[in-house]
Amino acid sequence: MGKYGQAAIEAVSLVSTNPLVTPRDAWNQATTEIFGTGTSSQLKSCPRSTFLGLCEEGYIKGVAQGNHHLKSTKNKEYGIKAVAILKKDPSLVHDVNHLWDKVVEREVKAHNSQMDIVVTLWNSNLLV
């Protein structure tokens, strides 16, 4: 589990135990604890948008579906597509690069921790 996966687990825990904490606030708190306030890693948008996108669509156990005000939906789409691919072929959870290749299809693009979010939540049985 990478640090962004760890942040996702911590954020889910925060939201699940306190209904007044929003997924965005939980993500910010978890990444601040892991990376430090205002660091580039704490502010990185790709894993945050993937996490919030999965929350928005009700993919994460214990997190209510709802609008989390994403500025970009591309990473949300990557997360949702990765979940669908894992449902068809769970073995890809062990090969993040191959999973990413299937998500982006023919596009040549490096993943930016989006798959860490999905794989960690999958392995933790937190995806619906």
Side-chain angles (χ1 to χ4, degrees):
M1 170 185 347
K3 288 187 176 187
Y4 289 106
Q6 179 185 347
I9 297 298
E10 289 183 26
V12 170
S13 178
L14 287 167
V15 172
S16 297
T17 58
N18 186 345
L20 298 177
V21 175
T22 68
R24 181 176 292 276
D25 289 342
W27 178 264
N28 288 337
Q29 183 176 335
T31 56
T32 295
E33 289 171 10
I34 293 168
F35 300 110
T37 305
T39 61
S40 60
S41 295
Q42 193 263 325
L43 299 173
K44 191 172 179 177
S45 65
C46 295
R48 178 185 61 229
S49 295
T50 302
F51 175 75
L52 292 176
L54 291 171
C55 290
E56 263 191 5
E57 297 302 319
Y59 277 74
I60 302 177
K61 292 177 185 174
V63 180
Q65 186 175 359
N67 185 353
H68 299 298
H69 311 289
L70 294 176
K71 294 177 183 171
S72 169
T73 60
K74 195 68 170 171
N75 291 300
K76 171 183 173 176
E77 292 167 10
Y78 292 151
I80 290 169
K81 190 167 183 182
V83 171
I85 291 168
L86 285 175
K87 285 181 179 179
K88 290 179 184 173
D89 186 357
S91 71
L92 289 171
V93 77
H94 304 292
D95 189 347
V96 173
N97 291 325
H98 192 196
L99 174 60
W100 177 248
D101 288 344
K102 289 191 168 284
V103 168
V104 294
E105 296 173 359
R106 291 170 188 56
E107 189 177 354
V108 177
K109 188 174 195 166
H111 75 87
N112 203 0
S113 301
Q114 301 97 326
M115 297 302 97
D116 187 28
I117 302 298
V118 174
V119 166
T120 300
L121 292 171
W122 179 274
N123 286 334
S124 300
N125 293 316
L126 289 172
L127 291 173
V128 178

